[in-house]
Structure formats: C-alpha cells, structure tokens
Amino acid sequence: MAEIDDRRTPPEARTSSIGRCIASCVSVFLTQFALALIPRFFYASPLLIQLALSALVLVAVVGVAGRCRRALGVYASAPAFVVLSIVYIWVVYVTVVREAVPLLMDVLFHGEVAMLIIGLCSIFKRDPGRVTLGPSSSSELCDGSVSEVSETSSLMGRVRYCKNCEAYIKGFDHHCPAFGNCIGQNNYFLFMALLAGFLITESSFVACSSKFASKSSILYQTRLESNMAADLVIGGLLFSLLQLLWQGIFFMWHIYCICFNIRTDEWINWQKYPEFQHQVKSEQGQSSTNLTFWNPYDKGILGNIREFLS
C-alpha cells in the first residue's frame, strides 16, 4: 500500500524559511552598502586597488555574518542571497544606469536578467538525478567495491553519495550551495547554461555601468562632488567584476571537465573510486606498486562533448 506523502509545510519550517530570507536580505544590503563605501572613500584610487579592497570587504562581511549567525542562530539562505543580489543589481540599473544606456543594450540586459531568474527557478526545483538503491548496491558504493567499469557500475551510472542532500545522485558533480541543489546528470547542462548566463549578464552590467560612468564623469569626481547613486553604481560594478573573476575560472574548470568526461567529485576523490585507480608496478626488484589516476570514461574530446550534449 502506497504511503501518503504529506507535502504541506509545517509552521516551524515556514518560520525558519522566512527568517533565512530576512537574514539573506540583510546580508545583501550590508554587502552592497559596504562595497558602495569604497568609491566614496577611495575615489582617487585606481580601479584595481578598489577591486582588491572590495575582495577584502566581502571577506570581512562574510566573517561578520558568520559570527552573527552563530550568536543569533539564524542562517542566511544562499539561494535567496543569489536571487536578491540579482534583484539589487537590476534595481540599481533601472533607477540609475538605464538613462545612459542605448535602447538595444537596455532590452538585452532586461532579457538576460529575466532568463537568469527563470533558469534559477528551474534549477532550484529540478531533480539532479536522485536514485534509490537497494541495500547491496548502497553498501557497494559506500565501500568502493566497484573495481572496474563493468556491467554493475554501468547500471549504477556513476552514482555518488551527497552528504548535504543525504541522497545518491547519478552523475554527481558537486553540491552547489548557491543553487541549494546538487549538480548531477539531470541538471548539469542547465547548470552550465546558468553559469554562462551569469557571466553574460554581469558583463552586460559592467559595460552599462562603464558607459554610465564615462557619460556622467563620476570616475573623475571628488568625494564632495559624488553622490550616493554614483557610489551604488560603482559598488555594483566592483561586485560584478569580482563575480566575473571567480565565475570565469569556475566556468573554464567545468569546460575542462566536460572535454575530459570527469566530474569535480571524481577528480578530487578519485582515490575513493576504484575505477579511477590504475596500479603501476615499481622498478624491477621492488615489490611495491604505485597508484595513478586513470579515467575509464574518457571517450576523446569530441565524444565527451557529444555525451554531455545528449
């Protein structure tokens, strides 16, 4: 007899979710306000110096938020922080930057933000590839007894265990706190599309903000001549540049993983998975063997890309 799954959210869970969203909103406000103070007090410094200071400010805000979290017992929601950051950048664009941007760039930017929000809502809810394993298959994966890419491991489809979700995920790459979901076989393509979307949208905001800055000459104003709106634009510009920096590196890493058919979890923890272990005998006269990495799933760059797209 099938069990009835009561999906109604209990009041305690709703209260906790509201509290986490409020904490995320406060975190976004403090982060962007702190970044807006950099052009206010370091207006004469080069952009690279302001960028380095912005990175330090973000680290300091994260540290303060961590202390407050431990003291108050309220945890911010990373997905809510991502969405609210996008909304903040969009509000700054609409209220300040938009007036200096051509119509075509304006339409493109709004379209990029809309697609980004739609993509985020999709990846929040999409099943990454959860599977239910029997006791024997579960123990086999846990103790790493699959020694080669055989029929058993092929049927399991590179199923890995995620400690955050407490679930087995097919094609598991990593658990993404920003999206509040695992990245697996079913949503890996969407993850890459979203990552590219973030890079495009942030690049567009940087271009629009730069156009606004050059048109209004705010980069050459003194502290007395500048206003809070201009500081918010430059703060958002610095935030977007920092996002572009780490997301660009992250995107290139996943391009590498796609080309060589390897997952992030497998690359880091390959010694846990016997199919990636290749034993090489030592020199003559020595009985020991060396363990080296070998990828049995690599089908060549073109074959790996075709597998990813399919």
Side-chain angles (χ1 to χ4, degrees), residues 1-24:
M1 181 177 180
E3 296 182 1
I4 298 176
D5 183 13
D6 187 3
R7 296 183 180 276
R8 291 176 298 179
T9 306
E12 296 82 3
R14 285 199 297 269
T15 303
S16 176
S17 299
I18 293 173
R20 295 185 68 186
C21 288
I22 293 174
S24 301

Side-chain angles (χ1 to χ4, degrees), residues 2 6 13 32 46 57 88-89 97 110 112 159 164 280 285 292:
D6 187 3
Q32 299 299 336
V57 165
Y88 171 84
I89 293 296
V97 179
H110 279 93
E112 291 163 3
V159 173
N164 298 87
V280 179
T292 60

